[in-house]
């Protein structure tokens, strides 16, 4: 069996899926992990094991918190490892919660250029986040943020 890397994604749909994840789902992960959006800018070291086992309800609560911490760490690592321009866009928007207009102004670009660059940054985030969730061993727990053309 030959494996092939599917590099073809729907950029607009992927960008929307990432926006939805970072806009609403991330808040729940942040709350469960006890972290804030500003924590996305700095690396954190957890001493937690990477493969906990599932068990009773108390263990499930602990696992939910552990998973939330892992997701937040993956988001932060993905953002911190992006290309410089994408990193500025993503951290300004999702860590500092700056308005798009203010980010465009800060970067000295038009709104249209900002929108194009933001879509690119969101898709780059999906790629880098995918790497992080695999590296952290939580890829079976977290949905892929990519949308592929055949999924429409």
């Amino acid at each position: 069996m030959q494996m092939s890397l599917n590099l073809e994604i729907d950029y607009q749909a992927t960008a929307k899926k990432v926006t939805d994840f970072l806009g609403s789902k991330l808040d729940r992960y942040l709350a469960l992990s006890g972290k804030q959006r500003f924590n996305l800018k700095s690396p954190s070291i957890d001493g937690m094991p990477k493969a906990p086992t599932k068990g009773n309800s108390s263990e499930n609560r602990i696992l939910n918190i552990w998973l939330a911490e892992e997701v937040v760490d993956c988001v932060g690592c993905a953002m911190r490892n992006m290309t410089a321009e994408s990193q500025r866009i993503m951290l300004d928007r999702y860590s500092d919660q700056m308005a798009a207009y203010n980010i465009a102004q800060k970067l000295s670009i038009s709104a249209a250029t900002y929108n194009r660059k933001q879509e690119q940054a969101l898709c780059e985030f999906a790629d880098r986040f995918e790497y992080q969730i695999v590296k952290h061993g939580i890829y079976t727990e977290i949905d892929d943020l990519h949308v592929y053309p055949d999924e429409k």
Side-chain angles (χ1 to χ4, degrees), residues 49-54 63 66:
K50 294 292 179 204
T53 57
K54 295 187 178 182
L63 283 174
W66 171 83

Side-chain angles (χ1 to χ4, degrees), residues 20-74:
D20 292 344
F21 172 79
L22 294 173
S24 59
K25 291 181 182 174
L26 181 58
D27 286 331
R28 178 79 170 128
Y29 289 122
L30 286 164
L32 282 170
S33 70
K35 296 181 180 179
Q36 302 288 325
R37 285 185 177 266
F38 65 80
N39 293 121
L40 298 175
K41 289 185 173 184
S42 59
S44 61
I45 308 291
D46 66 1
M48 297 296 288
K50 294 292 179 204
T53 57
K54 295 187 178 182
N56 64 35
S57 63
S58 292
E59 288 175 355
N60 287 339
R61 288 172 59 199
I62 292 168
L63 283 174
N64 286 340
I65 291 168
W66 171 83
L67 181 60
E69 288 178 332
E70 290 293 307
V71 170
V72 170
D73 287 348
C74 288

